[in-house]
Amino acid sequence: MKKSVLHVDRYMKVGEVDERIYGSFIEHLGRAVYEGIYQPDSPLSDENGFRRDVMGLVRELGVPVVRYPGGNFVSGYHWEDGTGPKELRPQRIEPAWNVIETNQFGLNEFMDWTSLAGTAPMMAVNLGTRGPEDAKNILEYCNLKGGSYYSDLRIAHGYQKPHDIKLWCLGNEMDGPWQMGHKTAYEYGRIAAETGRVMKMIDPDVELVACGSSSLYMDTFGDWEDTVLSECYDQADYISLHQYYDNCADDTPGFLANTVAMDQFISSVISICDAVKAKKRKKKSIHLSFDEWNVWYHSKEQDKKLEPWCKAPHQLEDIYNFEDALLVAGMLITMLRHADRVRIACLAQLVNVIAPIMTSDTGAWKQTIYYPFALISKYGRGTVLHTVADTPVYECRYGDAPYLDSVCVLNENEASETAELTIFAVNKDLKESMELSCDLRQFEGYQVKEHIVLTHPDLKAANTQSAPDLVKPSAGGNAKIEGGILSAILCDKSFHVIRLAKS
Ligand code: AHR
């Protein structure tokens, strides 16, 4: 059996977890909006046309922020098309995903949905086919009280109170040649600066996310961030990172080792942000918004066969299996380990489109990736502690990959009488169990409250509507504390939530 030792120090803090790290994403794409969160002709929907079953699963998942309306979609979008009386809204061709957009769901419906779903909006402006002028208009529509053209238009549309949206993305993936209005880093940096300037004039409290690279593997990676931030450092608060992983090669150890690549990606972006900060002699640091991340590949071949220009087709409907859930756990753990700089992250996406939640006309169910996300979102609140893991490694294309991915989160709050320490851990070994130990003598009085395990003998096992519970966590872990030392056996290929509480 492999052995790993986790060293943790309660006084060495990485940073407070910003709950927005548990964000997600709804794009006008496939069945994410239509038949996902919104289906007015369904008996499963409420009086707004919102799917009740989906709303329940979203609430349970725990997503404090949802990015909207894209994605690639936003780069050609006219947000006004989705406002006002529904019967007057135009149907448009939507070139990003080759479909027809009916505009029956738009900004105001999204805001209604977020408040019912218990989440907050992260809105993107179109810097593809539009620019600063349009960003000014939509912000005026959303955040001004009234007395101006666009704020009065919102009131005329039935929304007296401003939406007061504070978090905005300055476009989407502007480094990608697939993007409408794709730009060079300099062109984008200039437009982002101009847009940011006008947006902060209208509402000085907005926080702005500048587009970073669409992937670590873009040829422009590094130079892109450097140039963009050199142009818009004063206006930007965050820089975005996007990354999707696949197991097309059917090499599970290599697939699970992608947490190493993700860690390198995050560290590199932090270095570039800090280098620009140093060059410019600035006080302010730029934080990271990992606003698209997930596994994505299962649906790519089937999507090539879709007819163009239909409405809400089954696009990007990846069916996730158990190994995908292990990587999703590892990716969230990796981001938590950088809690001081990664302040926002969005699992892409939320419903039907590369999503933890799937729907049919008769119900909704949880994909495998739902579980690690929900568990980490629920218990991963508080302060991330610095840990060093003494763990065996295996070779992967990025160098050495540890068999153990882990992080510790301390949640001690006298006012609410909370005292919890949670260890999240993935044993990536596909054949052997791992003995984990951790000296917790600094955490006097803590005992094991619960040890939740997600494992399955078949890496390819998936949940479906007819078998929704094939892969799901159970509370059957064996963690114990003796003499202040925590020990647990982590079975092969498994994700663990070890919850300790002060008795
Ligand atoms: O999430 C799916 C797509 O992936 C988004 O529209 C785009 O931003 C990214 O390339």
Short mmCIF file of all heavy atoms in Angstrom, two decimals, residues 261-307:
data_model
loop_
_atom_site.label_atom_id
_atom_site.label_comp_id
_atom_site.label_asym_id
_atom_site.label_seq_id
_atom_site.Cartn_x
_atom_site.Cartn_y
_atom_site.Cartn_z
N ALA A 261 -0.87 20.33 -14.74
CA ALA A 261 -0.88 21.37 -15.78
C ALA A 261 -1.68 22.58 -15.32
O ALA A 261 -1.29 23.73 -15.54
CB ALA A 261 -1.47 20.80 -17.06
N MET A 262 -2.80 22.31 -14.64
CA MET A 262 -3.64 23.42 -14.18
C MET A 262 -2.89 24.26 -13.15
O MET A 262 -2.93 25.50 -13.17
CB MET A 262 -4.92 22.86 -13.58
CG MET A 262 -5.93 23.93 -13.26
SD MET A 262 -7.41 23.20 -12.56
CE MET A 262 -8.61 24.47 -12.89
N ASP A 263 -2.18 23.58 -12.27
CA ASP A 263 -1.39 24.28 -11.26
C ASP A 263 -0.33 25.16 -11.94
O ASP A 263 -0.12 26.32 -11.55
CB ASP A 263 -0.74 23.24 -10.34
CG ASP A 263 -0.04 23.90 -9.18
OD1 ASP A 263 -0.75 24.43 -8.31
OD2 ASP A 263 1.20 23.94 -9.18
N GLN A 264 0.32 24.59 -12.99
CA GLN A 264 1.35 25.37 -13.70
C GLN A 264 0.72 26.58 -14.40
O GLN A 264 1.29 27.67 -14.44
CB GLN A 264 2.07 24.49 -14.73
CG GLN A 264 2.99 23.46 -14.06
CD GLN A 264 3.51 22.39 -15.02
OE1 GLN A 264 3.16 22.35 -16.21
NE2 GLN A 264 4.35 21.50 -14.51
N PHE A 265 -0.47 26.38 -14.96
CA PHE A 265 -1.18 27.46 -15.65
C PHE A 265 -1.44 28.61 -14.67
O PHE A 265 -1.10 29.78 -14.91
CB PHE A 265 -2.49 26.89 -16.21
CG PHE A 265 -3.28 27.79 -17.13
CD1 PHE A 265 -2.73 28.93 -17.69
CD2 PHE A 265 -4.60 27.46 -17.48
CE1 PHE A 265 -3.47 29.75 -18.56
CE2 PHE A 265 -5.34 28.26 -18.34
CZ PHE A 265 -4.77 29.41 -18.88
N ILE A 266 -2.01 28.26 -13.51
CA ILE A 266 -2.34 29.28 -12.51
C ILE A 266 -1.07 30.02 -12.04
O ILE A 266 -1.02 31.24 -12.00
CB ILE A 266 -3.08 28.64 -11.31
CG1 ILE A 266 -4.46 28.13 -11.75
CG2 ILE A 266 -3.20 29.61 -10.13
CD1 ILE A 266 -5.18 27.28 -10.71
N SER A 267 -0.03 29.24 -11.74
CA SER A 267 1.21 29.86 -11.25
C SER A 267 1.80 30.79 -12.30
O SER A 267 2.31 31.87 -11.98
CB SER A 267 2.25 28.80 -10.89
OG SER A 267 1.73 27.96 -9.91
N SER A 268 1.74 30.37 -13.58
CA SER A 268 2.31 31.22 -14.64
C SER A 268 1.54 32.52 -14.77
O SER A 268 2.13 33.60 -14.90
CB SER A 268 2.26 30.51 -16.00
OG SER A 268 2.86 29.26 -15.91
N VAL A 269 0.20 32.44 -14.70
CA VAL A 269 -0.59 33.67 -14.85
C VAL A 269 -0.33 34.60 -13.66
O VAL A 269 -0.18 35.82 -13.85
CB VAL A 269 -2.10 33.34 -15.02
CG1 VAL A 269 -2.93 34.62 -15.04
CG2 VAL A 269 -2.32 32.57 -16.31
N ILE A 270 -0.21 34.03 -12.47
CA ILE A 270 0.11 34.88 -11.30
C ILE A 270 1.45 35.59 -11.53
O ILE A 270 1.58 36.80 -11.30
CB ILE A 270 0.15 34.03 -10.00
CG1 ILE A 270 -1.25 33.50 -9.66
CG2 ILE A 270 0.71 34.86 -8.83
CD1 ILE A 270 -1.28 32.49 -8.52
N SER A 271 2.43 34.86 -12.03
CA SER A 271 3.76 35.47 -12.26
C SER A 271 3.66 36.62 -13.26
O SER A 271 4.28 37.67 -13.08
CB SER A 271 4.76 34.45 -12.82
OG SER A 271 4.85 33.38 -11.96
N ILE A 272 2.87 36.41 -14.33
CA ILE A 272 2.77 37.48 -15.34
C ILE A 272 2.06 38.70 -14.75
O ILE A 272 2.49 39.83 -14.93
CB ILE A 272 2.04 36.96 -16.61
CG1 ILE A 272 2.84 35.81 -17.23
CG2 ILE A 272 1.86 38.09 -17.63
CD1 ILE A 272 2.08 35.00 -18.26
N CYS A 273 0.97 38.46 -14.01
CA CYS A 273 0.25 39.59 -13.37
C CYS A 273 1.22 40.38 -12.49
O CYS A 273 1.23 41.62 -12.50
CB CYS A 273 -0.89 39.09 -12.50
SG CYS A 273 -2.24 38.37 -13.41
N ASP A 274 2.03 39.65 -11.72
CA ASP A 274 2.92 40.33 -10.78
C ASP A 274 4.08 41.02 -11.51
O ASP A 274 4.57 42.05 -11.04
CB ASP A 274 3.42 39.34 -9.72
CG ASP A 274 2.28 38.93 -8.80
OD1 ASP A 274 1.20 39.57 -8.85
OD2 ASP A 274 2.44 37.96 -8.03
N ALA A 275 4.47 40.47 -12.65
CA ALA A 275 5.54 41.12 -13.42
C ALA A 275 5.04 42.45 -13.98
O ALA A 275 5.73 43.46 -13.93
CB ALA A 275 6.02 40.20 -14.54
N VAL A 276 3.78 42.44 -14.48
CA VAL A 276 3.23 43.70 -15.01
C VAL A 276 3.07 44.70 -13.86
O VAL A 276 3.37 45.89 -14.00
CB VAL A 276 1.89 43.46 -15.75
CG1 VAL A 276 1.33 44.77 -16.29
CG2 VAL A 276 2.06 42.46 -16.89
N LYS A 277 2.61 44.19 -12.72
CA LYS A 277 2.47 45.07 -11.54
C LYS A 277 3.81 45.72 -11.19
O LYS A 277 3.89 46.93 -10.95
CB LYS A 277 1.98 44.22 -10.35
CG LYS A 277 1.87 44.96 -9.06
CD LYS A 277 1.44 44.02 -7.93
CE LYS A 277 1.45 44.74 -6.59
NZ LYS A 277 1.14 43.87 -5.48
N ALA A 278 4.87 44.90 -11.22
CA ALA A 278 6.20 45.43 -10.87
C ALA A 278 6.65 46.45 -11.92
O ALA A 278 7.13 47.53 -11.56
CB ALA A 278 7.19 44.28 -10.77
N LYS A 279 6.47 46.10 -13.22
CA LYS A 279 6.90 47.02 -14.29
C LYS A 279 6.21 48.36 -14.15
O LYS A 279 6.78 49.40 -14.40
CB LYS A 279 6.53 46.43 -15.66
CG LYS A 279 7.59 45.54 -16.26
CD LYS A 279 7.34 45.30 -17.76
CE LYS A 279 6.13 44.45 -18.02
NZ LYS A 279 5.96 43.98 -19.38
N LYS A 280 4.93 48.30 -13.79
CA LYS A 280 4.13 49.53 -13.72
C LYS A 280 4.21 50.20 -12.35
O LYS A 280 3.56 51.21 -12.12
CB LYS A 280 2.67 49.22 -14.06
CG LYS A 280 2.46 48.92 -15.53
CD LYS A 280 0.98 48.70 -15.80
CE LYS A 280 0.65 48.74 -17.27
NZ LYS A 280 0.58 50.09 -17.84
N ARG A 281 4.90 49.57 -11.42
CA ARG A 281 5.03 50.07 -10.04
C ARG A 281 3.64 50.35 -9.44
O ARG A 281 3.36 51.43 -8.93
CB ARG A 281 5.87 51.35 -10.01
CG ARG A 281 7.29 51.14 -10.51
CD ARG A 281 8.03 52.45 -10.61
NE ARG A 281 9.28 52.26 -11.31
CZ ARG A 281 9.41 52.27 -12.63
NH1 ARG A 281 8.35 52.44 -13.40
NH2 ARG A 281 10.58 52.08 -13.20
N LYS A 282 2.78 49.33 -9.54
CA LYS A 282 1.41 49.48 -9.04
C LYS A 282 1.28 48.88 -7.65
O LYS A 282 2.01 47.95 -7.29
CB LYS A 282 0.42 48.77 -9.97
CG LYS A 282 0.34 49.37 -11.36
CD LYS A 282 -0.38 50.69 -11.33
CE LYS A 282 -0.49 51.27 -12.73
NZ LYS A 282 -1.04 52.62 -12.74
N LYS A 283 0.30 49.37 -6.90
CA LYS A 283 -0.03 48.78 -5.59
C LYS A 283 -0.99 47.63 -5.76
O LYS A 283 -0.95 46.62 -5.07
CB LYS A 283 -0.71 49.85 -4.72
CG LYS A 283 0.23 50.62 -3.85
CD LYS A 283 -0.58 51.33 -2.78
CE LYS A 283 0.31 52.25 -1.99
NZ LYS A 283 -0.43 53.38 -1.46
N LYS A 284 -1.94 47.84 -6.67
CA LYS A 284 -3.04 46.87 -6.84
C LYS A 284 -2.53 45.58 -7.48
O LYS A 284 -1.72 45.62 -8.41
CB LYS A 284 -4.08 47.53 -7.76
CG LYS A 284 -5.20 46.62 -8.20
CD LYS A 284 -6.19 47.35 -9.10
CE LYS A 284 -5.94 47.08 -10.57
NZ LYS A 284 -6.98 47.63 -11.43
N SER A 285 -3.02 44.44 -6.97
CA SER A 285 -2.72 43.15 -7.62
C SER A 285 -3.91 42.75 -8.47
O SER A 285 -5.06 43.06 -8.14
CB SER A 285 -2.51 42.06 -6.57
OG SER A 285 -1.35 42.33 -5.83
N ILE A 286 -3.62 42.05 -9.55
CA ILE A 286 -4.71 41.49 -10.38
C ILE A 286 -4.97 40.08 -9.87
O ILE A 286 -4.03 39.29 -9.67
CB ILE A 286 -4.28 41.45 -11.86
CG1 ILE A 286 -3.98 42.86 -12.39
CG2 ILE A 286 -5.34 40.74 -12.71
CD1 ILE A 286 -5.18 43.76 -12.61
N HIS A 287 -6.25 39.75 -9.66
CA HIS A 287 -6.60 38.40 -9.23
C HIS A 287 -7.08 37.56 -10.42
O HIS A 287 -7.24 38.08 -11.52
CB HIS A 287 -7.62 38.47 -8.09
CG HIS A 287 -7.01 39.00 -6.84
ND1 HIS A 287 -7.23 40.29 -6.40
CD2 HIS A 287 -6.14 38.45 -5.98
CE1 HIS A 287 -6.52 40.50 -5.30
NE2 HIS A 287 -5.85 39.39 -5.02
N LEU A 288 -7.28 36.27 -10.15
CA LEU A 288 -7.57 35.35 -11.25
C LEU A 288 -9.04 34.94 -11.23
O LEU A 288 -9.60 34.66 -10.16
CB LEU A 288 -6.68 34.10 -11.15
CG LEU A 288 -5.28 34.19 -11.78
CD1 LEU A 288 -4.50 35.39 -11.27
CD2 LEU A 288 -4.50 32.91 -11.54
N SER A 289 -9.61 34.90 -12.41
CA SER A 289 -10.99 34.41 -12.57
C SER A 289 -10.91 33.22 -13.53
O SER A 289 -10.78 33.40 -14.73
CB SER A 289 -11.86 35.53 -13.15
OG SER A 289 -13.14 35.03 -13.47
N PHE A 290 -10.96 32.02 -12.96
CA PHE A 290 -10.87 30.81 -13.81
C PHE A 290 -12.30 30.54 -14.28
O PHE A 290 -12.97 29.63 -13.80
CB PHE A 290 -10.31 29.64 -12.99
CG PHE A 290 -9.44 28.73 -13.82
CD1 PHE A 290 -8.13 28.46 -13.44
CD2 PHE A 290 -9.92 28.15 -14.98
CE1 PHE A 290 -7.32 27.64 -14.22
CE2 PHE A 290 -9.12 27.32 -15.75
CZ PHE A 290 -7.81 27.07 -15.36
N ASP A 291 -12.76 31.40 -15.23
CA ASP A 291 -14.21 31.41 -15.46
C ASP A 291 -14.73 30.44 -16.51
O ASP A 291 -15.92 30.50 -16.86
CB ASP A 291 -14.75 32.84 -15.62
CG ASP A 291 -13.98 33.70 -16.58
OD1 ASP A 291 -13.62 33.19 -17.63
OD2 ASP A 291 -13.76 34.89 -16.26
N GLU A 292 -13.90 29.52 -16.98
CA GLU A 292 -14.38 28.33 -17.69
C GLU A 292 -13.42 27.20 -17.39
O GLU A 292 -12.23 27.29 -17.70
CB GLU A 292 -14.44 28.56 -19.20
CG GLU A 292 -15.59 29.45 -19.63
CD GLU A 292 -15.77 29.49 -21.16
OE1 GLU A 292 -15.51 28.49 -21.84
OE2 GLU A 292 -16.16 30.58 -21.64
N TRP A 293 -13.94 26.15 -16.77
CA TRP A 293 -13.10 24.97 -16.53
C TRP A 293 -14.00 23.73 -16.46
O TRP A 293 -15.12 23.81 -15.99
CB TRP A 293 -12.30 25.12 -15.24
CG TRP A 293 -13.12 25.12 -13.98
CD1 TRP A 293 -13.71 26.20 -13.39
CD2 TRP A 293 -13.48 24.00 -13.16
NE1 TRP A 293 -14.40 25.83 -12.27
CE2 TRP A 293 -14.27 24.48 -12.10
CE3 TRP A 293 -13.19 22.63 -13.22
CZ2 TRP A 293 -14.79 23.64 -11.11
CZ3 TRP A 293 -13.71 21.79 -12.23
CH2 TRP A 293 -14.49 22.30 -11.19
N ASN A 294 -13.50 22.64 -16.96
CA ASN A 294 -14.25 21.38 -16.88
C ASN A 294 -13.52 20.32 -17.70
O ASN A 294 -12.47 20.58 -18.30
CB ASN A 294 -15.68 21.55 -17.40
CG ASN A 294 -16.64 20.50 -16.85
OD1 ASN A 294 -16.23 19.50 -16.26
ND2 ASN A 294 -17.93 20.72 -17.04
N VAL A 295 -14.14 19.16 -17.76
CA VAL A 295 -13.79 18.12 -18.74
C VAL A 295 -14.72 18.35 -19.93
O VAL A 295 -15.90 18.65 -19.73
CB VAL A 295 -14.06 16.72 -18.14
CG1 VAL A 295 -13.88 15.63 -19.18
CG2 VAL A 295 -13.18 16.48 -16.91
N TRP A 296 -14.20 18.24 -21.14
CA TRP A 296 -15.06 18.43 -22.32
C TRP A 296 -14.49 17.64 -23.49
O TRP A 296 -13.42 17.97 -23.95
CB TRP A 296 -15.13 19.92 -22.68
CG TRP A 296 -15.86 20.25 -23.96
CD1 TRP A 296 -16.67 19.43 -24.70
CD2 TRP A 296 -15.86 21.51 -24.65
NE1 TRP A 296 -17.16 20.09 -25.79
CE2 TRP A 296 -16.68 21.38 -25.78
CE3 TRP A 296 -15.24 22.74 -24.42
CZ2 TRP A 296 -16.91 22.41 -26.69
CZ3 TRP A 296 -15.46 23.77 -25.31
CH2 TRP A 296 -16.29 23.61 -26.42
N TYR A 297 -15.17 16.63 -23.92
CA TYR A 297 -14.78 15.94 -25.16
C TYR A 297 -15.77 14.87 -25.60
O TYR A 297 -15.83 14.53 -26.77
CB TYR A 297 -13.41 15.27 -25.02
CG TYR A 297 -13.34 14.05 -24.11
CD1 TYR A 297 -13.23 12.77 -24.63
CD2 TYR A 297 -13.35 14.18 -22.73
CE1 TYR A 297 -13.15 11.65 -23.80
CE2 TYR A 297 -13.27 13.08 -21.90
CZ TYR A 297 -13.18 11.81 -22.44
OH TYR A 297 -13.10 10.73 -21.62
N HIS A 298 -16.57 14.35 -24.68
CA HIS A 298 -17.40 13.21 -25.03
C HIS A 298 -18.33 13.51 -26.20
O HIS A 298 -18.68 12.61 -26.95
CB HIS A 298 -18.25 12.78 -23.82
CG HIS A 298 -17.43 12.36 -22.63
ND1 HIS A 298 -16.84 11.12 -22.54
CD2 HIS A 298 -17.11 13.02 -21.49
CE1 HIS A 298 -16.20 11.04 -21.37
NE2 HIS A 298 -16.36 12.18 -20.72
N SER A 299 -18.77 14.77 -26.32
CA SER A 299 -19.81 15.09 -27.31
C SER A 299 -19.24 15.62 -28.62
O SER A 299 -19.99 15.89 -29.55
CB SER A 299 -20.72 16.17 -26.72
OG SER A 299 -19.94 17.31 -26.38
N LYS A 300 -17.93 15.76 -28.73
CA LYS A 300 -17.40 16.51 -29.88
C LYS A 300 -17.72 15.84 -31.22
O LYS A 300 -18.11 16.53 -32.17
CB LYS A 300 -15.91 16.77 -29.71
CG LYS A 300 -15.67 17.94 -28.74
CD LYS A 300 -14.31 18.54 -28.81
CE LYS A 300 -14.30 19.84 -28.00
NZ LYS A 300 -13.02 20.25 -27.51
N GLU A 301 -17.58 14.52 -31.30
CA GLU A 301 -17.87 13.83 -32.57
C GLU A 301 -19.35 13.92 -32.93
O GLU A 301 -19.72 14.22 -34.06
CB GLU A 301 -17.43 12.36 -32.50
CG GLU A 301 -15.92 12.19 -32.65
CD GLU A 301 -15.33 12.93 -33.86
OE1 GLU A 301 -15.82 12.72 -34.98
OE2 GLU A 301 -14.40 13.75 -33.67
N GLN A 302 -20.21 13.67 -31.95
CA GLN A 302 -21.66 13.69 -32.25
C GLN A 302 -22.13 15.08 -32.66
O GLN A 302 -23.03 15.22 -33.50
CB GLN A 302 -22.49 13.08 -31.12
CG GLN A 302 -22.84 13.97 -29.98
CD GLN A 302 -23.02 13.21 -28.66
OE1 GLN A 302 -22.52 12.11 -28.47
NE2 GLN A 302 -23.74 13.81 -27.74
N ASP A 303 -21.51 16.13 -32.12
CA ASP A 303 -21.94 17.49 -32.45
C ASP A 303 -21.64 17.86 -33.90
O ASP A 303 -22.29 18.73 -34.47
CB ASP A 303 -21.27 18.50 -31.51
CG ASP A 303 -21.95 18.54 -30.15
OD1 ASP A 303 -22.83 17.68 -29.91
OD2 ASP A 303 -21.62 19.39 -29.33
N LYS A 304 -20.64 17.18 -34.50
CA LYS A 304 -20.30 17.49 -35.89
C LYS A 304 -21.45 17.11 -36.83
O LYS A 304 -21.54 17.58 -37.94
CB LYS A 304 -19.04 16.74 -36.31
CG LYS A 304 -17.79 17.30 -35.68
CD LYS A 304 -16.55 16.59 -36.17
CE LYS A 304 -15.36 16.99 -35.31
NZ LYS A 304 -14.34 15.95 -35.20
N LYS A 305 -22.34 16.22 -36.37
CA LYS A 305 -23.43 15.74 -37.24
C LYS A 305 -24.69 16.61 -37.14
O LYS A 305 -25.70 16.32 -37.78
CB LYS A 305 -23.78 14.29 -36.87
CG LYS A 305 -22.61 13.35 -37.04
CD LYS A 305 -22.98 11.94 -36.62
CE LYS A 305 -21.72 11.12 -36.34
NZ LYS A 305 -21.80 10.32 -35.13
N LEU A 306 -24.66 17.65 -36.33
CA LEU A 306 -25.89 18.44 -36.12
C LEU A 306 -26.25 19.29 -37.33
O LEU A 306 -25.37 19.83 -38.00
CB LEU A 306 -25.71 19.36 -34.91
CG LEU A 306 -25.72 18.70 -33.54
CD1 LEU A 306 -25.27 19.68 -32.47
CD2 LEU A 306 -27.10 18.15 -33.22
N GLU A 307 -27.55 19.41 -37.59
CA GLU A 307 -28.05 20.30 -38.66
C GLU A 307 -27.88 21.75 -38.21
O GLU A 307 -28.24 22.08 -37.08
CB GLU A 307 -29.55 20.06 -38.86
CG GLU A 307 -29.92 18.77 -39.56
CD GLU A 307 -29.48 18.76 -41.01
OE1 GLU A 307 -29.64 19.79 -41.68
OE2 GLU A 307 -28.94 17.71 -41.45
#
